[in-house]
Structures are given as C-alpha cells and as structure tokens.
Amino acid sequence: MLEAMAALLLIGALSAVAIPGMVRWLAYWELRAAAERLTADLRECQSRAEAEGVFYELRFWRTRPDYMVYRGVEHVRTVDNKPGIAYATGILPLPDTHLRFNPRGTGIQGGTIWLCNRFGDRMGARIYPDSGVVIFLGP
C-alpha cells in the first residue's frame, strides 16, 4: 500500500509540472491554427475575387472573436475562432474593419490583423494593398 501511495504521489507531482506546459502548448497551436486559417481565407478571397470578377471581403469586429466572409454583398460564411483567441489590441483602426479585394485580386486597403491568446502570443496576417500579397505572420 505504501508503494502504491508513493507511485500516486509521483504521478501527481509529474502532472503538476506537465499540465501547465501542455495547456500553454495547446493554446499556442490553437492560435497558430487560427492565424493560418485567417491567412488561407484571405488568400482564397483574393483568388476568388480575381477568378470571379467580384469584390470579396473579410469583416472583423473588435468585440467579437469571429469574422465574416462576403462575396459582394452576399454573406458566404462566418469563421468562429476558438475560445481564448482574440484580436490583439491596437491593430484595428476602427470599431469594425473590412479587408476587401477588388475584382483584379488586389487589396483595396492593406492592413495587418493580429490574433492573440491568453498567454500573450501573437500571430496574424498582413495584406499589401498594391499587390494584394497576403503573408502569414508567425513567431
């Protein structure tokens, strides 16, 4: 019985050390997945705008963790970020921001959208307005 209690104590001590690291690791990879999805959605909007000859845009709000994809004025879909993923403060110039691609596939305005997790890690995407190039901003 003493050996079983010692084993349980050892397992408890190892768990106390491993679980916080695992929580941080999981939050990092959730943030990375959200930033990569955002980058992929921006690139898809860019290529669809050019291929279909219509405006595409992503709409963001400071107070909501999701964003919406529009084809012209038609709502295509809403992308929900996981709990704990938010927009980093100070990056969206207005209460709401729209990143839009014209029918030539170039951005109407450029910008950077940063996502952050509860540990302060930041990743995001940037659009260059003249060329419409979209890049992933990772660690």
Side-chain angles (χ1 to χ4, degrees), residues 27-98:
Y28 169 85
W29 285 104
E30 287 175 346
L31 174 62
R32 184 167 184 104
E36 286 176 350
R37 183 179 57 239
L38 171 63
T39 304
D41 285 341
L42 286 165
R43 288 177 179 156
E44 179 185 4
C45 285
Q46 177 191 30
S47 65
R48 285 183 178 260
E50 188 174 11
E52 298 171 15
V54 296
F55 287 95
Y56 267 83
E57 71 181 6
L58 274 72
R59 296 182 184 176
F60 304 88
W61 291 266
R62 260 187 217 276
T63 57
R64 295 170 43 180
D66 61 358
Y67 58 90
M68 296 181 183
V69 178
Y70 281 82
R71 178 186 187 269
V73 294
E74 172 192 354
H75 176 256
V76 176
R77 66 187 147 93
T78 300
V79 179
D80 293 317
N81 286 317
K82 289 195 176 226
I85 304 293
Y87 298 112
T89 56
I91 48 87
L92 298 173
L94 303 171
D96 58 329
T97 296
H98 309 282

